[in-house]
Amino acid sequence: FALAWARPPPARWWRRRGVEFGLMLAALIGLSEIALRTSEPLAYLVFPALIWSALRLGRHGATAAVAIAAGFAVWETTRQVGPFAYESVTESVLSTQLYIGVAAVSTLCLAAVVAERERAARRLAASRMRLVAAGDNERRRIEHNLHDGAQQRLTALVVQLKMYAERARESPSIAAAMLDDAGIELTLAIDELRELAHGIHPS
């Protein structure tokens, strides 16, 4: 409890979980009163509230719940009231310690599992954001390369072919050489497109 509450939860935790924290404490106190004021075997009625604290309220809620449950158990047993009050002091102490140990280990282990799951979910969300950012950067790179590379080369080839067409009308004998030049430019554009398309899969 001291380690968990050495750094109190931030204000946003209280805004989001404050009411639930209060309800959990009220339920825990009520169930502890019912369970530990009688000699009937009802001590483990408090476990739903402990599980609630572990699942929903993190280490702060879980440690507070365990502390309250343990405090009730010790208080009632020292007054010789409840299911852990035996004629033998040793039996009373052992029974109370067993109850507190089971409650603490169960609640804190469950809280640890929930915290680990939340950390994994945060890491997964961050990983997704990195993947989306990498995909956007790659798309921008491809757009830039298409615009500055293959598109400009193909545009220049269109202009060049129009010029060659006009010159070929004037002197048809040089048409073959001009078409060879245009073929070279087209081959270069195709190579650029092939290089850009290499490695682009569904990813």
Side-chain angles (χ1 to χ4, degrees), residues 54-55 58-59 109-122:
L55 290 176
R59 68 180 188 274
C109 284
L110 188 56
V113 168
V114 170
E116 184 59 35
R117 187 191 65 187
E118 288 174 354
R119 275 195 297 272
R122 284 194 297 272

Side-chain angles (χ1 to χ4, degrees), residues 24-107:
M24 183 276 296
L25 290 183
L28 183 64
I29 291 168
L31 289 170
S32 295
E33 280 286 333
I34 294 168
L36 298 171
R37 282 287 178 94
T38 176
S39 58
E40 298 296 323
L42 300 175
Y44 296 96
L45 269 179
V46 300
F47 270 70
L50 293 174
I51 292 168
W52 177 11
S53 70
L55 290 176
R56 299 280 301 155
L57 301 171
R59 68 180 188 274
H60 293 101
T63 52
V66 169
I68 289 170
F72 264 94
V74 171
W75 173 252
E76 298 297 348
T77 304
T78 55
R79 293 173 56 235
Q80 290 295 308
V81 177
F84 309 124
Y86 297 104
E87 290 182 12
S88 166
V89 174
T90 305
E91 278 189 52
S92 295
V93 170
L94 286 175
S95 298
T96 308
Q97 285 181 338
L98 179 62
Y99 167 78
I100 292 170
V102 170
V105 169
S106 303
T107 306

Side-chain angles (χ1 to χ4, degrees), residues 134-135 138-139 141-142 191-203:
E138 188 63 17
R139 276 192 293 277
R141 184 189 69 79
I142 291 170
D191 288 342
E192 279 191 17
L193 286 172
R194 186 180 293 117
E195 187 177 339
L196 280 171
H198 180 69
I200 299 177
H201 299 298
S203 58

